[in-house]
Each structure stands twice: as C-alpha cells, then as structure tokens.
Amino acid sequence: MIELHIDQNIIEYSRKLTKNKNFGKRGKYDGSPRQQFIGVVSENVVRKYLGYKPMMLNGFDGGYDIEWNGYKVDIKSMERTVNPRPHYVNNFVDYQRNHKADAFMFCSVNTKTKNLWICGWITKKEFLQEAKLYKKGFIRNRDNGTSFKLDADNWEIENYKLHSINK
C-alpha cells in the first residue's frame, strides 16, 4: 500500500469541483455530496501521483477515471478515520458492474491524518472472481463492533487480494 499526503490545494480544487457539479449522476446509489467529495479528492491525489492532469468538470465518464497500464480504471475510495490494514475490505456497488471500467484502483482516505492510501488495483475479471457479493439487506459487521445493513447489492474485496501499484 502507498501512503500519500493530501495537499491542501487538491482539497480546495476538489471542493470547487464538487460544489459546482453533482459527480454522482450514474442512475442509482450515486453517493452523498460528502462521498462524492472524498472520491474527487482521491481521484485527484492518484492523478497527481501517477502524473496525470487534475480531473475536469465533465459529464458522466462512462464508469472509469483514467487509462493506466492499458486498462480503463475506476478509482474507488473509502473514507476512514484509521489507516487501512491488509484485511480491511473495499466496497463496490453492484449497480456499477456494467460500466466501462475494466480495472479498479482502491483507495482509503484517513480524514484524521489527511493521508490517502492507494491500497492496490485489480482487473474487473479478477475482482468478480475474488470478491464476495453481499445482497441488499445483509448485515455487515465491522472490526470495531459496529454493524450496518446494506442498502444495495455490494461486492467486497480485502486489501491483501489487490495488486501493488508500480508507478
């Protein structure tokens, strides 16, 4: 996993983008404004790290964020208050399965430290073989003893099943 500090300029730029546009217009399960902001910050940090220009105010991207190593990659991110661990899971909502991405890059944002962790990447084909699908209504339990009910079909994959990022 790669730990990157989130630059204040990226936070401010991402805030402007999400203030002026709803990035979740995919149809279903589009994410709250906060979730969209975390996603935009994450994408911009990853873009900077990999040498891409910052994202722009465009329409729906078809379900992928960057073309990287020959793949159309969707950058997925989770907001956390702790650093990710190898057994922590990354989520992917099944509604997005048929989008154009053929790979996923999973990130975690620790909002206490303002650091982003690139947890790894995986092709969509590998993901669908390795991840577990939990149906809407299933109760998920966290390490800290809390639980929540899924409000959509959701795929989960642990960090240790992801490929490392080689720049």
Side-chain angles (χ1 to χ4, degrees):
M1 289 190 272
I2 299 168
E3 181 181 15
L4 303 168
H5 182 69
I6 302 171
D7 183 275
Q8 187 63 34
N9 291 331
I10 288 178
I11 292 171
E12 291 169 15
Y13 178 75
S14 300
R15 189 171 286 126
K16 282 182 193 175
L17 287 177
T18 55
K19 202 175 221 181
N20 294 318
K21 180 169 179 56
N22 179 348
F23 282 86
K25 291 188 177 182
R26 296 176 295 233
K28 295 180 180 178
Y29 207 77
D30 291 337
S32 69
R34 175 69 182 181
Q35 289 168 324
Q36 290 178 38
F37 171 70
I38 293 296
V40 170
V41 167
S42 298
E43 182 178 335
N44 281 316
V45 171
V46 170
R47 283 173 166 273
K48 181 178 178 182
Y49 176 73
L50 295 175
Y52 291 77
K53 292 179 180 177
M55 64 186 297
M56 305 299 286
L57 272 176
N58 294 326
F60 177 59
D61 58 18
Y64 71 96
D65 301 311
I66 59 172
E67 291 191 31
W68 174 77
N69 285 356
Y71 294 102
K72 291 178 175 143
V73 179
D74 191 7
I75 299 167
K76 308 306 275 177
S77 189
M78 293 182 68
E79 181 177 9
R80 301 183 187 274
T81 57
V82 297
N83 292 337
R85 295 183 177 178
H87 73 281
Y88 283 13
V89 297
N90 301 283
N91 298 306
F92 179 78
V93 178
D94 192 58
Y95 290 129
Q96 298 175 17
R97 184 176 7 156
N98 294 323
H99 290 177
K100 292 180 184 176
D102 53 14
F104 306 114
M105 190 176 295
F106 289 102
C107 301
S108 288
V109 173
N110 183 330
T111 53
K112 286 186 178 180
T113 63
K114 289 191 180 175
N115 288 336
L116 174 130
W117 291 78
I118 301 176
C119 300
W121 75 280
I122 192 166
T123 67
K124 184 189 284 188
K125 182 180 179 181
E126 291 173 309
F127 176 83
L128 293 172
Q129 292 169 348
E130 294 290 326
K132 280 183 97 174
L133 175 63
Y134 294 94
K135 297 304 235 174
K136 180 179 179 177
F138 192 84
I139 305 294
R140 296 297 292 128
N141 298 307
R142 296 184 182 110
D143 282 357
N144 66 5
T146 62
S147 62
F148 63 98
K149 183 192 246 185
L150 294 175
D151 53 1
D153 290 355
N154 191 58
W155 294 85
E156 292 183 3
I157 191 165
E158 295 90 348
N159 284 323
Y160 70 83
K161 292 183 178 179
L162 303 175
H163 304 293
S164 298
I165 298 293
N166 297 319
K167 211 164 125 175

